[in-house]
Amino acid sequence: MACLLEAPLRVSVLSEVTATSRHYVDRLFDPDPQKVLQGVMLLYLLQQSSSTLELRTECAVVLGSLAMGTENNIKSLVDCHIIPALLQGLLCPDLIFIEACLRCLRTVFISAVTPVQLLYTDPTVIPHLMSLLSRSHRTQEYTTQIFSHCCKTPEHQTVLFNHGAIQNIAPLLISPSYKVRMQALRCFSVLAYENTQVSMTLVNVLVDGELLSQVFIRMMQRDQPIEMQLTAAKCLTYMCRAGAIRTDDSCVVLKTLPCLVRMCSKEHLLEERVEGAETLAFLMEPDVELQRIASTTDHLVAMLADYFKYPSSVSAIADIKRLDHDLKHAHELRQAAFKLYASLGSNDEDIRKKITETENMMDRIVSGLSESSIKVRLAAVRCLHSLSRSVQQLRTSFHDHAVWKPLMKLLQNAPDEVLVMASSTLCNLLLEFSPSKEPILESGVIELLCSLTQSESPALRVNGIWALMNMAFQADQKVKVEIVQCLGTEQLFRLLSDPDANVLMKTLGLLRNLLSTRPHIDQIMTSHGKQIMQAVTLILEAEHSVEVKEQTLCILANIADGNTAKELIMTNDDMLQKIKYYMGHSNVKLQLATTFCISNLIWNEEDGSQERQDKLRELGFVDMLHKLSQACDANLSDRAKTAMQQYLA
């Protein structure tokens, strides 16, 4: 029987199936789907304990072979409850039967159509699978493969971790069987991904007296198979990103990073280059030093340009099947390259320059924004966003290639994930020093941005209001009026009570930019003053962060700078008391903002300044200013002295 366990189903195998099961097996290959299903159901019934062990083992082998067929085969098997039947079979003491059941389970679970949750339904299954790890090389290989395919969420990671996955699987990394070592390694890569608890535990694990990280380093050596080098590099990458290994540790800088860069070279297979680039992008995403090291390793920036030329018409791929596969998957290379460029250029100006100067790079990004694959579009806009953090690139490459046009097109109709990244990029293109700002304004973007502020997604609301805030900065009155009219006061005040602190901060920033330069302040406060003062009152009275209150008090200081608008503060005794309260606050930023406000109200050169000075003196503001003029903070002290001079002039 053992010979049946290793081979996919062949005619020779069928000839060895006993006459008893022959009837059912024939049904599996019947052209009538109903008979096939009936055959599957009958085979399921053969899992009963009343059948002989030989028959049950044969059934598990045949089912495993059937599971290697089409997705419909797997769906039929899963619908017939094959998984609970096979899991039940694992309770049998017979090793050959257990191996047959595990092999079939492995084949079913590695299919994309199988719901992995089925492994976790019964809480006794995982501990039992752990106990089977000690039975044989085959149980080790199949069980770890099941674990790595079925570990998809943080909850799954926790279940496996709590049932001793680390201590049970770690010894398998030095198994004499390559397949066992490889599956154990894959298991650790999925367990450690974005998981601090697992990563912090792994860093202290010893395997035969050697630290686990050293075992991974050995597995990354050039003489090891590529899949092993890559998976070991992923393990160390995930441990590093989870904070278990420092980014300046030699195992990251001298081993993991160079190994991943190596995977990006053109002698590797497409999927290896994709995985290498994506893992490298993830490794260095938050760390500028790793980005600098990577950018100067093996000409990486230029090497990635090859990702866009593959496979070429003169490709060296002799295998026609491989060529066909790569043509269908070439977009994955472009996606990976954009991701890696985005990560490389997220902080350093010199690296961004190097990227944009790489052959046809901006044209490639522009093309990427309109590719049919949503993943490529997302990666291309990520790359554009990363480069848009550069003042220099906004003024040169972005302007020369008019990237705002495809970006605007992308914003018209895209999933939220793409919209968030595209609108973030647009925020940068709307900064006052960006030459793209004017043509974007003329393209009718205000309506689009106002619609984003109504999104259910907080990230899109933030980006919509942020872009409007950038647009309103030092804008002419026409643009400001258009923003206020398009957004509408109702929506503006809804955003001022948004539960998301970032939305609130950016809305206050927009209001502050709208209320700048006196004619604009007076015009907006004439038409919307009552609502704005009401919103300011509500924010100052509510529980908000110092940053929110500071921004709100700065808006008041801007209102106080208007010619007619300042009367809305002077005639509001409740507001004056609030200003006085914040002048006496323990936070210097709040004191500074309120002192600016008072300074604007009492400025000598303006009409009515004497009356305002007198009223504020009566309310005790001069005493407050005198006190603040002796503050330890130099800025606050100077600002208070400047305000007091208005009384002496």
Side-chain angles (χ1 to χ4, degrees), residues 417-434:
E417 209 179 356
V418 174
L419 272 180
V420 168
M421 204 47 70
S423 52
S424 280
T425 311
L426 193 65
C427 288
N428 292 343
L429 265 67
L430 286 167
L431 290 163
E432 89 277 9
F433 48 74
S434 164

Side-chain angles (χ1 to χ4, degrees), residues 453 455 458 461 493-501 503-504 507 544:
T453 70
S455 167
R461 293 202 301 279
F493 298 117
R494 198 176 293 128
L495 291 165
L496 285 170
S497 55
D498 198 283
D500 188 283
V503 174
L504 174 55
T507 309
H544 284 296

Side-chain angles (χ1 to χ4, degrees), residues 83-340:
I83 292 172
L86 290 168
L87 290 172
Q88 187 65 31
L90 298 179
L91 299 172
C92 172
D94 184 80
L95 181 60
I96 293 176
F97 180 54
I98 287 172
E99 288 176 350
C101 289
L102 274 175
R103 186 171 185 226
C104 185
L105 273 169
R106 180 273 314 265
T107 309
V108 171
F109 273 121
I110 63 176
S111 165
V113 299
T114 306
V116 297
Q117 201 51 41
L118 293 172
L119 188 70
Y120 302 93
T121 314
D122 180 343
T124 64
V125 168
I126 302 294
H128 185 63
L129 284 169
M130 290 292 175
S131 73
L132 296 177
L133 284 169
S134 59
R135 297 292 300 271
S136 71
H137 284 163
R138 283 180 183 149
T139 64
Q140 291 167 350
E141 180 196 338
Y142 304 150
T143 304
T144 46
Q145 199 172 355
I146 290 167
F147 286 158
S148 36
H149 274 278
C150 295
C151 185
K152 304 285 188 195
T153 67
E155 290 73 32
H156 296 161
Q157 289 173 326
T158 302
V159 170
L160 293 171
F161 177 83
N162 288 345
H163 284 102
I166 293 176
Q167 51 271 45
N168 283 304
I169 297 169
L172 307 186
L173 290 168
I174 53 170
S175 164
S177 159
Y178 172 76
K179 285 181 176 178
V180 172
R181 292 199 304 279
M182 195 57 229
Q183 293 304 339
L185 188 59
R186 283 210 175 97
C187 221
F188 279 130
S189 77
V190 295
L191 282 169
Y193 179 66
E194 294 192 328
N195 193 308
T196 304
Q197 185 186 35
V198 170
S199 297
M200 289 295 191
T201 307
L202 287 180
V203 88
N204 296 313
V205 169
L206 290 173
V207 182
D208 202 23
E210 187 178 26
L211 276 172
L212 195 61
S213 56
Q214 290 305 309
V215 177
F216 292 153
I217 287 168
R218 263 209 331 278
M219 290 174 150
M220 283 193 298
Q221 287 171 355
R222 288 169 188 259
D223 59 350
Q224 296 297 330
I226 297 299
E227 62 170 354
M228 182 167 273
Q229 291 183 47
L230 244 177
T231 313
K234 282 169 88 168
C235 289
L236 288 164
T237 292
Y238 300 157
M239 288 163 73
C240 177
R241 280 301 306 267
I245 301 173
R246 288 166 55 103
T247 54
D248 59 358
D249 191 296
S250 62
C251 80
V252 173
V253 178
L254 302 178
K255 301 290 181 184
T256 311
L257 186 143
C259 172
L260 291 169
V261 171
R262 209 163 57 233
M263 295 300 147
C264 298
S265 66
K266 59 171 118 181
E267 68 254 21
H268 291 298
L269 294 175
L270 177 141
E271 45 270 43
E272 292 162 359
R273 294 169 77 190
V274 167
E275 211 173 328
E278 292 192 339
T279 308
L280 181 56
F282 185 66
L283 171 66
M284 62 186 181
E285 196 174 27
D287 192 272
V288 66
E289 205 42 53
L290 286 180
Q291 290 156 15
R292 286 178 184 141
I293 294 165
S295 72
T296 56
T297 304
D298 293 351
H299 308 288
L300 177 64
V301 174
M303 195 196 296
L304 285 176
D306 288 334
Y307 277 46
F308 297 94
K309 309 169 190 169
Y310 181 89
S312 63
S313 53
V314 290
S315 180
I317 305 172
D319 180 346
I320 202 75
K321 269 190 178 172
R322 167 51 67 177
L323 183 60
D324 182 54
H325 168 273
D326 285 4
L327 283 165
K328 286 178 184 157
H329 294 268
H331 68 277
E332 291 174 21
L333 273 177
R334 296 193 292 278
Q335 178 195 338
F338 283 138
K339 274 188 187 174
L340 187 41

Side-chain angles (χ1 to χ4, degrees), residues 392-618:
Q392 182 62 28
Q393 298 311 324
L394 285 174
R395 285 180 171 155
T396 53
S397 321
F398 277 59
H399 183 54
D400 298 343
H401 291 82
V403 294
W404 66 270
K405 288 181 181 175
L407 191 66
M408 289 293 292
K409 196 175 170 191
L410 194 61
L411 280 161
Q412 303 304 323
N413 183 23
D416 276 8
E417 209 179 356
V418 174
L419 272 180
V420 168
M421 204 47 70
S423 52
S424 280
T425 311
L426 193 65
C427 288
N428 292 343
L429 265 67
L430 286 167
L431 290 163
E432 89 277 9
F433 48 74
S434 164
S436 306
K437 183 173 181 175
E438 281 310 310
I440 293 172
L441 270 172
E442 287 159 18
S443 73
V445 72
I446 293 176
E447 200 173 326
L448 172 78
L449 296 174
C450 290
S451 69
L452 287 184
T453 70
Q454 296 177 10
S455 167
E456 285 180 18
S457 155
L460 283 176
R461 293 202 301 279
V462 167
N463 288 349
I465 205 76
W466 195 340
L468 289 169
M469 181 187 93
N470 287 350
M471 194 184 285
F473 182 76
Q474 294 182 351
D476 59 37
Q477 197 153 347
K478 178 176 164 286
V479 172
K480 289 183 178 180
V481 168
E482 198 181 333
I483 290 172
V484 173
Q485 284 176 347
C486 186
L487 191 61
T489 47
E490 223 175 280
Q491 176 61 5
L492 183 64
F493 298 117
R494 198 176 293 128
L495 291 165
L496 285 170
S497 55
D498 198 283
D500 188 283
N502 288 328
V503 174
L504 174 55
M505 275 298 281
K506 293 294 177 272
T507 309
L508 290 169
L510 167 64
L511 205 46
R512 191 173 166 184
N513 286 350
L514 291 170
L515 294 166
S516 61
T517 74
R518 283 179 184 165
H520 300 178
I521 295 168
D522 289 334
Q523 188 195 12
I524 291 171
M525 291 307 288
T526 299
S527 50
H528 304 291
K530 191 182 171 189
Q531 297 103 309
I532 290 173
M533 292 300 284
Q534 204 174 345
V536 166
T537 303
L538 288 172
I539 292 169
L540 291 177
E541 285 177 352
E543 288 291 320
H544 284 296
S545 66
V546 166
E547 288 72 27
V548 165
K549 300 239 170 152
E550 181 194 12
Q551 192 79 292
T552 309
L553 291 168
C554 287
I555 290 169
L556 262 188
N558 283 14
I559 295 168
D561 194 37
N563 288 322
T564 56
K566 53 169 54 86
E567 287 309 310
L568 286 162
I569 299 175
M570 289 306 301
T571 55
N572 186 332
D573 287 350
D574 178 50
M575 186 59 78
L576 290 171
Q577 287 305 319
K578 284 182 171 52
I579 294 170
K580 191 175 174 186
Y581 166 77
Y582 284 106
M583 278 180 89
H585 199 277
S586 58
N587 189 284
V588 172
K589 288 180 178 177
L590 302 184
Q591 291 177 305
L592 202 52
T594 47
T595 308
F596 261 110
C597 185
I598 293 301
S599 197
N600 285 343
L601 290 174
I602 61 176
W603 205 254
N604 262 323
E605 296 153 21
E606 291 161 15
D607 291 344
S609 61
Q610 191 59 56
E611 289 88 338
R612 289 192 294 276
Q613 285 181 9
D614 292 345
K615 179 170 182 178
L616 293 175
R617 187 197 296 274
E618 281 170 33

